[in-house]
Amino acid sequence: MEQQVASLSTPSAMSAEDRAAVEAFRHDVLETSLDHLVLVRFTATWCSPCKQLAPIIDKVIAEHGQGRTRQVVIDIDQQRLIAEQFRIQSVPTVYAFLGGNPVDGFVGMKSEREIKAFLERLLAALPPTAEESSVEEMLAHALALLDAGEALPAADAFAALAHEHPERADIAAGHARALLAAGQIEAARTVLAAIPADSSEAAVLQARAALDLAESAAPATEVNALEQRVTADPADHQARIELAQALFATGRLDEAADQLLASIAADRVWNEGAARVQLLKLIEARGLSDPWSAATRRKLSHLLFS
């Protein structure tokens, strides 16, 4: 959609009603968009698609607007001057304003998924507030504690953040991972159960993968027994998989990967590629951006394609 005027012209002959509408637009849209994302929804009472779109936009803003999104609704029949200046030719039409200017928009119906993607892309362009910067700093600290193996302090840090920001699924996911690292599987399961089932955030997927591994991993006390099984029969792929899970749970990441890579090298199709599937689960649980995950993926690719 072409960008329109960044301000409204003021006709010399303007009714008091039009003047009030222009002033409201300047305040509610142009000025507010200096520190918020403002969605201007042009609509009409006779427009059926407008009535279908309205609750979808309301829902997406309520769930994903992060408190930094405002919506202004303009009836093109009641506010003709503004509709004309923005050359609205059909409804529904939605314009997004940032920094006092229209930066994007669309015409017609959109699905909830499309509007969510539209909103999140625009919100990413907003500079963080002081409060948001503080939250991100505390989140980074909690993640650093977790990466350093300080599971209980990390769990406490995540719990404090989750109390203040219960809407943040990524914080709840971090809390669950910290609880898992501390061996509190039931508590982690409870935290993850509170996250909407349809959440597809990377942090949530990572935490769920970690929970799956923790629930299926052999106790750390069985590591020696599993190592003896593998030594006695290197072709015992099931023992290698169980050993890898146990090693991963105790933080012995490279050894866990080595066991699965050895199984893949020996028989990559055993049990429908179970060792490869398990290795990908470990990578997902660790996080795709983790250095260990990146290195392990390179090893797997080299093994599969060399």
Side-chain angles (χ1 to χ4, degrees):
M1 174 176 290
E2 295 183 2
Q3 180 170 309
Q4 304 293 336
V5 294
S7 61
L8 296 177
S9 60
T10 305
S12 56
M14 182 187 292
S15 68
E17 184 177 354
D18 284 342
R19 189 176 299 278
V22 168
E23 289 306 314
F25 188 93
R26 284 175 174 158
H27 176 269
D28 297 340
V29 178
L30 302 182
E31 294 177 9
T32 301
S33 71
L34 296 177
D35 53 11
H36 289 78
L37 169 65
V38 180
L39 299 186
V40 179
R41 177 163 54 86
F42 291 92
T43 185
T45 56
W46 43 263
C47 171
S48 295
C50 298
K51 296 175 183 178
Q52 297 171 357
L53 181 65
I56 297 175
I57 291 183
D58 292 344
K59 181 174 184 288
V60 171
I61 289 177
E63 294 181 354
H64 307 284
Q66 301 176 2
R68 302 194 67 189
T69 305
R70 301 289 183 267
Q71 180 181 195
V72 173
V73 180
I74 294 179
D75 188 309
I76 62 171
D77 294 323
Q78 295 180 6
Q79 300 184 47
R80 292 180 181 274
L81 177 62
I82 293 177
E84 288 171 0
Q85 294 213 4
F86 281 91
R87 300 194 289 276
I88 303 302
Q89 297 179 345
S90 63
V91 286
T93 292
V94 175
Y95 276 105
F97 281 75
L98 282 173
N101 293 286
V103 294
D104 206 345
F106 62 85
V107 177
M109 273 296 297
K110 296 289 183 182
S111 68
E112 180 177 339
R113 180 178 180 180
E114 290 173 316
I115 294 173
K116 177 177 178 288
F118 175 78
L119 184 70
E120 290 181 339
R121 175 168 50 80
L122 290 165
L123 284 171
L126 276 175
T129 64
E131 179 183 357
E132 288 171 337
S133 296
S134 176
V135 171
E136 295 308 315
E137 289 174 2
M138 290 188 288
L139 178 57
H141 174 66
L143 288 169
L145 287 173
L146 181 57
D147 289 341
E150 300 289 340
L152 288 178
D156 290 341
F158 279 114
L161 278 170
H163 178 74
E164 295 296 328
H165 302 277
E167 78 286 354
R168 291 278 299 264
D170 58 336
I171 292 175
H175 187 200
R177 287 178 55 217
L179 291 169
L180 288 172
Q184 301 178 27
I185 295 178
E186 186 59 40
R189 187 184 296 115
T190 299
V191 169
L192 284 175
I195 299 175
D198 61 352
S199 176
S200 58
E201 286 194 41
V204 175
L205 297 179
Q206 180 182 0
R208 287 173 176 161
L211 176 61
D212 289 342
L213 287 172
E215 290 177 328
S216 59
T221 54
E222 295 185 15
V223 168
N224 289 338
L226 289 168
E227 287 177 331
Q228 291 174 7
R229 282 177 56 187
V230 171
T231 300
D233 183 5
D236 188 344
H237 300 294
Q238 184 59 43
R240 284 191 184 275
I241 290 175
E242 294 177 14
L243 176 57
Q245 290 176 309
L247 291 169
F248 186 85
T250 57
R252 297 161 65 179
L253 308 184
D254 289 337
E255 294 175 68
D258 289 344
Q259 290 296 331
L260 294 171
L261 290 168
S263 181
I264 295 168
D267 187 351
R268 69 180 61 181
V269 299
W270 179 82
N271 194 18
E272 300 181 344
R276 176 177 174 274
V277 171
Q278 187 63 34
L279 184 57
L280 293 176
K281 286 183 179 180
L282 300 189
I283 291 171
E284 183 180 20
R286 188 67 184 176
L288 297 181
S289 62
D290 182 82
W292 176 85
S293 296
T296 303
R297 289 169 68 186
R298 287 194 295 271
K299 291 178 182 178
L300 177 61
S301 294
H302 179 74
L303 179 61
L304 293 177
F305 302 111
S306 61

